[in-house]
């Protein structure tokens, strides 16, 4: 396996897909067609999965950062002989600005090497392996141009230095001195629509500068003025990087099959759009003061979900709304640190997860001013989600942790149904008639009574994960965030304190007792609950401690092993970044002295 650990990677994005660049200058993950497409670089999951590296020949140390307000990465390598900077980006279409970035990205990976001091010998290794390492491409080298083709995929590498064939791959050795710059680009194109490619290669410095301006123009629409402004702005960039721009779908994570435990079998494909992630991202982007595309994004959800019946609403979709995400194991990749299985697809698409009904309706309520006038498709969607919540809330489901063993009566799922019904009642005549509203209100009250009566476990002294269970579960932290109970309600506060006492290790929260690693989103949710309970100092300390566990580029995986393995799970993980943004807002909204002037309120959706 590559020497990079999960937390060693930087994230590049272009609105259709993303790439991971290690601290050693190696691009070890890229699926150039779209987020869930087949890989051409997958050394992240197997040494033979393909890579593209540029690095000094000598020993080096590294410092790196994104260019201000962008996902353009600058890595500085320091050697005994001098220093060089490598700048990496996935290109936007030329001139794309604001909310148009990423709609027609060209599939172009850009890299420059700039001498900062002294003289530094470097090596470049270009070793693509198509379709998750299954295919070694035909490769031809003509001077400073390399073409690789296999099946439907063609990659064209152009370089400003001579490139040589190295058996089935390509390589180069070159030296950069202070003030010198060398440029590289890899372009993806469909084999049978490739034409002649860009024979001379793109103008890499110009494309890098244009892409940086594209990111900055998007972020300029975000006017967040609450606490942790720089953190919120950066995390909103990451969420935008995980958004499939043509449809607006929010991808749960860039990768597949990064394990929750080294050597364990809990590894999944997260390169799809979960309704839960969509709705929480909408809330996070609203907090970051960018609700501009609410109508378009809700229209995507309506088109993806389609006509809702009493069958479970699918919880996840492909980036363009694809429904069938059947799971299969790959035998071509050994897995990160030999952790199997390596999967494409995710069988959770077949599950019932009732909480997503409420997540979507709640996001619509939060953004109701931006959905006015409401599209007919969105109105029908919200009406039918409320109907399904009223008719099915009493059924067991797989829960937000996507249990594959059995369905249970998870409290977080009941609260999600309550949230769908509560927000539908608030919408009132905008989405239903008087009879509908009365029916939803009656079902909402039934759900509330059931949770309060059956969810509390007197022996445990807390609400537990499911009716009749004695197992503490950090999913209960969503209860006050959803507004079902105030955080300082005696039983709710007892639950929060038990979670903090029994499920926290080194300042991070596990989802349940025995969870192999702590879970970043739950850790931020705990900070939110403390803030909602008025424990501002405790909330602040916890929030800042969890935020400090991001890697040096401010990126979060799904989980963290405080006992040595570090970040675990797929990376970067949208849910972790959403939870940080929403946690920052809860700390802002519940701060002593109230909300600063000029920011949004999370309850009214209007400027204060």
């Amino acid at each position: 396996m590559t020497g990079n650990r999960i937390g060693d990677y930087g994230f590049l994005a272009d609105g259709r897909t993303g790439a991971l660049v290690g601290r050693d200058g190696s691009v070890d993950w890229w699926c150039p067609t779209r987020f869930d497409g087949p890989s051409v670089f997958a050394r992240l999951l197997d040494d033979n999965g393909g890579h593209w590296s540029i690095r000094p020949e000598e020993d080096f140390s590294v410092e790196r950062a994104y260019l201000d307000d962008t996902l353009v990465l600058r890595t500085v390598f320091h050697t005994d002989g001098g220093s060089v900077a490598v700048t990496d980006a996935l290109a936007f279409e030329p001139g794309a600005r604001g909310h148009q970035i990423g709609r027609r990205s060209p599939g172009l990976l850009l890299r420059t090497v700039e001498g900062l001091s002294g003289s530094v010998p470097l090596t470049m290794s270009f070793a693509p392996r198509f379709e998750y390492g299954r295919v070694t491409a035909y490769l031809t080298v003509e001077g400073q141009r390399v073409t690789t083709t296999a099946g439907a995929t063609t990659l064209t590498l152009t370089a400003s230095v001579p490139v040589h064939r190295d058996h089935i791959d390509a390589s180069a050795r070159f030296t950069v001195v202070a003030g010198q710059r060398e440029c590289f680009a890899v372009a993806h194109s469909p084999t049978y629509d490739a034409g002649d490619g860009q024979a001379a290669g793109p103008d890499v410095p110009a494309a890098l500068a244009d892409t940086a301006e594209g990111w900055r123009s998007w972020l300029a629409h975000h006017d967040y003025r609450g606490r942790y402004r720089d953190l919120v702005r950066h995390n909103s960039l990451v969420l935008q990087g995980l958004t499939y721009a043509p449809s607006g779908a929010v991808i749960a994570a860039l990768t597949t099959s990064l394990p929750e435990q080294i050597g364990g079998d809990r590894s999944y494909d997260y390169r799809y759009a979960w309704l839960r992630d969509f709705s929480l991202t909408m809330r996070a982007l609203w907090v970051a003061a960018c609700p501009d595309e609410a109508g378009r994004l809700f229209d995507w959800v309506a088109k993806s979900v389609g006509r809702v019946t009493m069958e479970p609403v699918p919880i996840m979709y492909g980036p363009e709304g694809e429904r069938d995400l059947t799971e299969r194991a790959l035998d071509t990749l050994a897995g990160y640190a030999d952790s199997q299985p390596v999967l494409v697809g995710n069988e959770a698409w077949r599950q019932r997860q009732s909480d997503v009904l409420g997540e979507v309706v709640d996001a619509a309520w939060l953004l109701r001013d931006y959905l006015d006038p409401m599209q007919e498709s969105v109105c029908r969607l919200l009406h039918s989600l409320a109907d399904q919540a009223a008719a099915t809330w009493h059924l067991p489901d797989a829960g937000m942790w996507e249990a594959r063993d059995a369905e249970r009566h998870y409290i977080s799922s009941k609260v999600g149904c309550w949230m769908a019904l509560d927000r539908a009642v608030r919408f009132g005549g905008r989405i239903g008639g008087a009879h509908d509203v009365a029916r939803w209100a009656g079902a909402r009250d039934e759900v509330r009574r059931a949770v309060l009566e059956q969810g509390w476990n007197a022996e445990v002294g807390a609400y537990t994960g499911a009716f009749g269970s004695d197992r503490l579960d950090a999913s209960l932290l969503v209860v006050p965030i959803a507004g079902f109970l105030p955080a300082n309600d005696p039983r709710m506060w007892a639950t929060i304190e038990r979670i903090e006492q029994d499920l926290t290790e080194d300042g991070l929260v596990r989802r349940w007792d025995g969870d192999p690693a702590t879970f970043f989103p739950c850790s931020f949710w705990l900070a939110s609950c403390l803030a909602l309970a008025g424990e501002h100092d405790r909330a602040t300390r916890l929030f800042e401690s969890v935020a400090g566990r991001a890697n040096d580029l401010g990126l979060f995986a799904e989980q963290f092993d405080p006992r040595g393995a570090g970040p675990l799970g797929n990376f970067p993980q949208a849910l972790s970044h959403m939870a940080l943004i929403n946690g920052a807002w809860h700390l802002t909204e519940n701060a002593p002295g109230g909300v600063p002037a000029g920011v949004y309120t999370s309850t009214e959706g209007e400027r204060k």
Side-chain angles (χ1 to χ4, degrees):
M1 187 189 77
T2 174
N4 291 302
R5 301 203 306 173
I6 293 171
D8 289 334
Y9 284 99
F11 170 49
L12 312 177
D14 64 3
R16 288 178 175 266
T17 185
L20 294 180
V21 187
R23 290 178 62 85
D24 61 357
S26 183
V27 181
D28 289 342
W29 185 257
W30 189 32
C31 304
T33 54
R34 67 180 203 176
F35 288 103
D36 60 335
S39 66
V40 295
F41 303 135
R43 187 159 67 167
L44 177 68
L45 296 175
D46 192 299
D47 276 344
N48 297 315
H51 70 277
W52 179 28
S53 68
I54 299 175
R55 56 180 291 173
E57 290 186 348
E58 307 168 7
D59 291 340
F60 55 83
S61 62
V62 172
E63 57 179 321
R64 60 185 183 166
Y66 288 113
L67 302 187
D68 289 347
D69 295 340
T70 77
L71 291 183
V72 177
L73 178 62
R74 186 175 188 264
T75 303
V76 178
F77 295 99
H78 299 289
T79 73
D80 289 343
S83 299
V84 296
V86 177
T87 303
D88 298 319
L90 281 169
F92 291 136
E93 58 274 35
R97 296 292 183 266
H99 294 289
Q100 298 304 311
I101 62 171
R103 300 286 182 92
R104 298 178 181 82
S105 294
L108 188 61
L109 184 52
L110 307 168
R111 315 192 75 178
T112 63
V113 183
E114 181 181 0
L116 302 180
S117 66
S119 175
V120 181
L122 297 105
T123 61
M124 185 206 73
S125 173
F126 180 64
R129 299 289 185 271
F130 296 174
E131 295 190 34
Y132 307 106
R134 191 179 299 278
V135 181
T136 301
Y138 291 106
L139 182 146
T140 59
V141 178
E142 299 176 358
Q144 296 167 216
R145 175 185 172 93
V146 179
T147 303
T148 57
T149 297
T153 301
T154 292
L155 296 181
T156 303
L157 165 68
T158 53
S160 60
V161 301
V163 180
H164 307 282
R165 187 183 184 92
D166 184 7
H167 187 41
I168 59 175
D169 301 318
S171 63
R173 299 182 66 186
F174 57 102
T175 298
V176 172
V177 300
Q180 179 182 350
R181 182 170 59 190
E182 303 295 348
C183 300
F184 305 82
V186 170
H188 164 266
S189 58
T191 296
Y192 298 102
D193 190 30
D196 294 329
Q198 299 183 45
D203 183 337
V204 174
L208 278 170
D210 186 71
T211 297
E213 285 308 304
W215 282 115
R216 291 175 181 131
S217 71
W218 182 85
L219 195 59
H221 290 271
H222 293 65
D223 191 27
Y224 175 76
R225 302 179 192 177
R227 296 191 66 188
Y228 306 106
R229 183 174 185 270
D230 290 343
L231 268 178
V232 168
R233 286 166 63 83
H234 174 68
N235 280 266
S236 68
L237 272 177
V238 176
L239 290 181
Q240 180 63 19
L242 289 169
T243 299
Y244 183 72
S247 68
V250 180
I251 306 304
L254 182 63
T255 57
T256 179
S257 304
L258 293 183
E260 297 180 7
Q261 182 179 23
I262 301 299
D265 61 358
R266 288 180 60 87
S267 56
Y268 305 105
D269 191 350
Y270 278 8
R271 299 172 300 157
Y272 305 109
W274 269 252
L275 288 186
R276 180 185 305 112
D277 287 4
F278 158 82
S279 60
L280 292 176
T281 299
M282 291 293 291
R283 174 178 285 276
L285 291 180
W286 174 83
V287 163
C290 188
D292 304 60
E293 296 187 335
R296 186 176 77 92
L297 299 187
F298 270 98
D299 189 52
W300 173 81
V301 171
K303 290 175 180 175
S304 298
V305 172
R307 184 172 179 270
V308 175
T309 65
M310 289 303 105
E311 293 298 313
V313 172
I315 64 163
M316 55 193 290
Y317 303 86
E320 295 182 356
E322 296 86 353
R323 187 75 61 97
D324 186 346
L325 306 179
T326 300
E327 188 175 280
R328 62 186 174 92
L330 299 175
D331 59 6
T332 52
L333 299 172
Y336 178 87
D338 294 322
S339 301
Q340 289 283 333
V342 176
L343 301 172
V344 171
N346 193 314
E347 282 304 299
W349 74 277
R350 303 178 188 272
Q351 292 183 346
R352 179 192 298 275
Q353 294 181 29
S354 300
D355 66 299
V356 302
L357 306 175
E359 298 286 4
V360 175
V361 184
D362 179 60
W365 175 250
L366 181 71
L367 290 156
R368 60 195 180 278
D369 291 339
Y370 300 92
L371 296 174
D372 189 14
M374 187 181 291
Q375 297 181 37
E376 179 63 26
S377 60
V378 176
C379 178
R380 287 198 305 267
L381 173 70
L382 300 178
H383 186 288
S384 58
L385 291 176
D387 277 350
Q388 182 164 125
T392 66
W393 70 265
H394 62 284
L395 297 177
D397 72 341
M400 69 164 59
W401 307 139
E402 302 181 352
R404 296 195 178 194
D405 58 344
E407 292 186 334
R408 299 175 178 86
H409 290 280
Y410 290 101
I411 291 178
S412 59
S413 298
K414 308 301 183 190
V415 169
C417 290
W418 174 89
M419 189 160 54
L421 295 162
D422 178 73
R423 285 16 169 208
V425 170
R426 296 189 198 186
F427 269 118
R430 288 184 63 182
I431 66 170
H435 176 73
D436 297 312
V437 174
R439 179 165 48 85
W440 295 333
R444 175 197 60 189
D445 296 342
E446 287 183 46
V447 179
R448 183 178 181 83
R449 285 193 296 270
V451 171
L452 295 179
E453 293 171 4
Q454 301 180 55
W456 177 258
N457 186 308
E459 293 184 4
V460 177
Y463 290 107
T464 52
F467 291 174
S469 172
D470 61 0
R471 192 179 197 185
L472 203 60
D473 192 311
S475 66
L476 271 297
L477 295 171
V478 305
V479 173
I481 295 173
F484 183 88
L485 283 173
N488 57 6
D489 170 88
R491 288 185 170 186
M492 191 65 240
W493 179 243
T495 304
I496 293 168
E497 289 198 307
R498 283 295 308 275
I499 290 172
E500 186 176 28
Q501 175 184 330
D502 294 357
L503 296 183
T504 297
E505 180 178 357
D506 195 24
L508 297 172
V509 179
R510 297 181 186 273
R511 290 171 290 181
W512 57 79
D513 187 27
D515 195 7
T518 59
F519 197 72
F520 280 120
C522 290
S523 305
F524 284 119
W525 294 347
L526 177 57
S528 290
C529 287
L530 293 173
L532 290 167
E535 295 286 337
H536 192 75
D537 290 343
R538 288 170 63 187
T540 297
R541 287 194 299 271
L542 177 59
F543 177 88
E544 292 179 357
S545 174
V546 180
R549 302 299 182 96
N551 77 357
D552 58 320
L553 296 172
L555 302 173
F556 288 98
E558 179 181 27
Q559 295 186 262
F560 189 89
D561 179 5
R563 301 181 185 182
L568 291 171
N570 286 304
F571 178 86
Q573 175 83 357
L575 190 59
S576 300
H577 290 273
M578 298 171 207
L580 181 148
I581 292 174
N582 290 321
W585 176 249
H586 285 127
L587 282 164
T588 297
E589 190 177 35
N590 295 279
V595 182
V599 300
Y600 288 98
T601 69
S602 66
T603 55
E604 296 302 325
E606 299 171 351
R607 288 282 187 184
K608 290 197 75 175

